[in-house]
Amino acid sequence: VYQYWQRDKKDEVNASERKIGGADLGPVTQLFTENYMVRFLLENSLGAWWAARHPESPLISSWEFLRFGDDGAPAAGSFDGWPDRVAEVTVMDPCCGSGHFLVEAFSMLWKMRAEEEGLSPVAAQDAVLADNLFGLELDPRCVQIAMFAVALTAWKAGGGWRELPTPNVACSGIPVKAPIEDWKQLAGGDERLENALVRLHILFRDADTLGSLIDPKRAVELTDPTGLQASFDDVEWDDITPLVTAALTRETDDPATDDPATAVLGADAAGIARAADYLSRRYTLVATNPPYLGIQGATPKLAMFCTSRYPLADGDLATVFQDRCCELAEGRSIAIVTPLAWLYLATYGPLRSRVLRSQRITSLAVLGPRAFEEITGEVVKVALFCATNERT
């Protein structure tokens, strides 16, 4: 539905041949993820983790895409670096679109919690919404669709409408409006805190273009231009979190920064503050279908950001997001729909080398042409890629 709604806008942007950023990103890069892709990625990551710990679980028989080795164990491995209990597992989709990954992950997680903890279906569903599931999206309209999709799934699974815990879904594309001086005042004269707040203000000012690429924690703790090491002027994220929350919460005085996600369920929340919180966390599993955009087609601001922060992956926005997902899953796992090109093009050689040195590839399914039902021909070539951030 979202793709159909944006069809005319997408055609208009493509016909204009202008560089893409801001409000143009959603219509041009949003692509509905086929159900088999979502299920393959989740079942061979979240599902494999569960199957390794609960081999007799009746849930396993419903996962048709979960692969097993000759020894009967999940082919993807046992994900030993993950928590032992499902209550402690967190799943994030930083490019959640209309919520496809969130809906499928929710359906898996609540059944796991019900079985493991002996919870009723409703109690398990509410626990997952409160503790396990997270989503971010650049486009406010998509965020609203995702929020409602998750809520509708919970209502259907729980037997009807009820008050729900507000799902952890937020819009990462709402730019700040307050003057930078208002933020600096919160530092109370501390130059280190003031400098950190200025860096964050600059990033969130461009949130409608950068979205989930913004890493508040890294922006605060790394000032070295190369992004490789901290300087003596850096501050700890925990020291500045209350100031950031205060600054972003004030943004709700501007109707333009109202939270489009929580408004769906009639809840009150500071949208930008929620997004900043989720962007600064780290998750057990980051699963997504990222936006696809050759960097040469991006606006100078977006292209410069990608090249400076993710130089090994800056050929396409999708591979940049692959790197960003690894940051969000620090020490844990990613499961993404990724462009095929990075697996063989010479320009991505350094990226492949780093992946092989620092990650364990748990699943890799190369898809042929027509992998997407809505796309004919061989325009989009992708692979389903799962990896764990651990050295082999």
Side-chain angles (χ1 to χ4, degrees):
V1 171
Y2 178 84
Q3 282 182 218
Y4 180 81
W5 179 63
Q6 291 280 39
R7 184 178 59 181
D8 292 343
K9 178 65 174 177
K10 180 177 182 178
D11 290 344
E12 181 266 314
V13 174
N14 287 335
S16 73
E17 298 185 355
R18 61 178 178 261
K19 299 295 185 181
I20 296 170
D24 291 341
L25 279 168
V28 173
T29 64
Q30 284 285 357
L31 179 64
F32 178 76
T33 314
E34 300 293 328
N35 189 252
Y36 78 88
M37 298 177 181
V38 177
R39 290 190 57 187
F40 179 92
L41 289 170
L42 290 177
E43 290 175 17
N44 287 284
S45 52
L46 181 60
W49 167 83
W50 174 264
R53 286 158 179 77
H54 304 273
E56 304 302 322
S57 171
L59 296 178
I60 297 172
S61 62
S62 66
W63 297 333
E64 62 178 299
F65 296 100
L66 177 59
R67 296 295 183 256
F68 294 92
D70 294 337
D71 59 356
S78 56
F79 297 86
D80 295 334
W82 287 29
D84 290 327
R85 299 175 61 249
V86 67
E88 299 171 3
V89 170
T90 52
V91 178
M92 159 60 82
D93 183 348
C95 318
C96 71
S98 53
H100 198 165
F101 277 92
L102 299 180
V103 165
E104 292 293 337
F106 171 79
S107 297
M108 295 175 70
L109 286 163
W110 80 256
K111 293 172 185 175
M112 292 176 183
R113 292 201 65 166
E115 182 177 322
E116 186 174 81
E117 301 172 48
L119 300 175
S120 69
V122 167
Q125 292 155 21
D126 288 357
V128 168
L129 292 178
D131 304 328
N132 300 101
L133 198 63
F134 296 82
L136 289 162
E137 169 57 43
L138 183 80
D139 188 314
R141 177 64 70 188
C142 261
V143 171
Q144 293 176 328
I145 297 172
M147 180 69 89
F148 187 75
V150 172
L152 183 60
T153 303
W155 289 327
K156 291 166 64 178
W161 182 90
R162 67 181 188 277
E163 292 285 352
L164 295 172
T166 302
N168 300 308
V169 180
C171 184
S172 57
I174 305 175
V176 298
K177 303 294 184 181
I180 196 169
E181 293 301 324
D182 290 357
W183 282 45
K184 291 167 67 174
Q185 288 176 6
L186 295 171
D190 187 321
E191 186 176 356
R192 292 164 60 251
L193 295 179
E194 185 176 300
N195 289 339
L197 285 168
V198 168
R199 293 198 296 274
L200 284 170
H201 186 279
I202 292 170
L203 285 175
F204 280 105
R205 189 175 60 200
D206 296 327
D208 56 342
T209 290
L210 301 179
S212 296
L213 291 177
I214 296 174
D215 186 347
K217 190 171 183 179
R218 183 182 182 189
V220 167
E221 296 179 353
L222 290 174
T223 57
D224 178 68
T226 66
L228 298 178
Q229 61 184 10
S231 77
F232 291 114
D233 293 331
D234 292 331
V235 298
E236 295 292 334
W237 171 246
D238 290 344
D239 294 339
I240 202 170
T241 299
L243 304 183
V244 176
T245 301
L248 294 175
T249 301
R250 290 182 182 183
E251 294 280 339
T252 55
D253 294 337
D254 182 348
T257 63
D258 286 348
D259 189 353
T262 56
V264 172
L265 301 182
D268 249 339
I272 305 179
R274 292 174 72 242
D277 177 23
Y278 302 159
L279 286 166
S280 65
R281 299 190 191 191
R282 297 298 179 258
Y283 302 89
T284 309
L285 174 66
V286 180
T288 194
N289 182 12
Y292 290 66
L293 178 67
I295 208 65
Q296 69 278 4
T299 59
K301 183 179 296 182
L302 178 57
M304 186 179 301
F305 180 89
C306 292
T307 299
S308 63
R309 292 294 183 91
Y310 305 99
L312 300 187
D314 68 351
D316 194 285
L317 191 56
T319 45
V320 167
F321 260 103
Q322 182 175 319
D323 260 9
R324 175 67 178 126
C325 287
C326 291
E327 293 174 345
L328 287 165
E330 184 178 3
R332 300 293 169 80
S333 303
I334 62 170
I336 64 175
V337 184
T338 184
L340 200 57
W342 80 272
L343 294 172
Y344 61 85
L345 286 184
T347 53
Y348 287 112
L351 175 61
R352 290 194 297 274
S353 295
R354 193 190 63 200
V355 168
L356 291 171
R357 287 195 309 270
S358 63
Q359 295 179 298
R360 180 172 65 86
I361 298 174
T362 55
S363 297
L364 178 61
V366 176
L367 306 183
R370 304 181 188 276
F372 290 92
E373 185 177 355
E374 296 297 320
I375 300 178
T376 58
E378 302 187 21
V379 178
V380 178
K381 297 181 181 179
V382 297
L384 305 181
F385 178 68
C386 302
T388 296
N389 291 342
E390 59 185 32
R391 292 186 180 277
T392 55

